[in-house]
Amino acid sequence: MAEAIARDAIDRGVVDLAGSLFVASAGVMAHEGSPVAAEAISTLNRLGIEHRGIAKRLSPDMVRRADLVLAMTEAHALAARRLVEGDPAAEAKIQQLDLDADIEDPIGLGQFAYDEVAARFRELIPRRLAEALRT
């Protein structure tokens, strides 16, 4: 959902792009190639966002090539940092999406949990992308 919501914010002009911006989503515990959860697709459809994708596992190369890596939880951020341990520049790119609290993974928690996570993503992702573009 994060990738789709970020792309939607860019497409709608919510994030003012001074140039091009590439966004992608990958998980530290993702099962590579798994389909997007039906609840996530349902949430996105209700928001008018079309998304087709599969799960990707975060790799050290992805972190090193990124300008910014946003994690849902502190545990995810720590796991991502372990992928690039010993590379201070790569480790510094990894931050929590919500600086005040974890965003718990909605897997297995039902449709309402996916809707709640999407609402937080819609609030936080444009703000964090705008911050990243300013720096």
Side-chain angles (χ1 to χ4, degrees), residues 22-44:
F22 172 77
V23 297
S25 179
V28 293
M29 295 180 276
H31 297 286
E32 188 77 31
S34 295
V36 176
E39 296 93 340
I41 297 298
S42 178
T43 296
L44 292 170

Side-chain angles (χ1 to χ4, degrees), residues 39 103-117:
E39 296 93 340
I103 300 173
E104 295 302 329
D105 195 322
I107 291 176
L109 300 177
Q111 188 63 56
F112 180 77
Y114 280 84
D115 295 345
E116 289 291 307
V117 168

